[in-house]
Amino acid sequence: MSIFKNSEGKEHTGEYVLYGRVSTEDYKLTTFTEKPMSGATDPYKREQLMKAVEYCRKHKATLVFADLERLCRKMWMTLRFLDEVISRNKINFIVCNDPTISEDPMRLQMKALFSEWERQRISERTKDKL
């Protein structure tokens, strides 16, 4: 039996635990959890995201995303939000599954483009199955 599961296209249910391993005791984790919504939703309309941004701004904290796709799956919205909110407020951010994204604008743009492309594929597969 494999410990790996293919959950693509399936609803995620149940209880989740966030585990973070750090190399220092000088570390604090504050969480903001958003209710389920479409990946096409404008980041500005994500109440908990905006609260997280405000928290980061006030406390000079780093904003952490599991994946850039968790921010948004529309390229222009992702790039606009990162420019207008993250860059202008000088908020550091990390994308866990690819930390180099926050250091390399080209990689960030390519990941945002791929996220939008994948959202379109998911939509097509869903329509085909219906």
Side-chain angles (χ1 to χ4, degrees):
M1 181 174 137
S2 173
I3 62 168
F4 300 103
K5 297 179 182 175
N6 181 358
S7 62
E8 182 179 335
K10 297 177 184 170
E11 182 177 348
H12 299 283
T13 60
E15 182 176 350
Y16 289 83
V17 174
L18 173 64
Y19 167 77
R21 187 193 66 78
V22 296
S23 300
T24 178
E25 290 183 24
D26 188 22
Y27 176 82
K28 179 182 175 191
L29 177 65
T30 303
T31 61
F32 294 84
T33 304
E34 198 76 67
K35 65 182 181 182
M37 65 181 63
S38 167
T41 302
D42 191 326
Y44 286 97
K45 294 181 180 177
R46 296 173 185 256
E47 181 181 346
Q48 293 300 309
L49 173 60
M50 297 311 292
K51 285 180 181 180
V53 165
E54 185 59 23
Y55 183 92
C56 288
R57 193 183 64 71
K58 284 183 180 178
H59 296 90
K60 299 198 182 318
T62 298
L63 187 58
V64 179
F65 297 101
D67 190 326
L68 195 62
E69 293 172 352
R70 298 292 85 200
L71 173 59
C72 187
R73 283 190 179 248
K74 285 191 174 182
M75 186 174 106
W76 73 269
M77 285 184 188
T78 300
L79 298 178
R80 179 194 62 174
F81 183 81
L82 291 172
D83 180 51
E84 292 178 357
V85 175
I86 303 301
S87 292
R88 289 187 187 167
N89 286 296
K90 295 180 173 54
I91 296 172
N92 291 326
F93 74 97
I94 296 172
V95 179
C96 291
N97 71 340
D98 188 351
T100 63
I101 287 174
S102 58
E103 301 165 1
D104 184 350
M106 188 59 69
R107 288 181 64 91
L108 187 142
Q109 292 170 22
M110 294 302 293
K111 177 67 175 176
L113 175 65
F114 183 77
S115 294
E116 181 169 337
W117 176 82
E118 179 59 20
R119 182 187 67 82
Q120 292 170 350
R121 300 293 79 73
I122 291 169
S123 178
E124 289 169 5
R125 287 192 301 266
T126 302
K127 288 176 186 174
D128 287 347
K129 291 193 181 204
L130 295 176

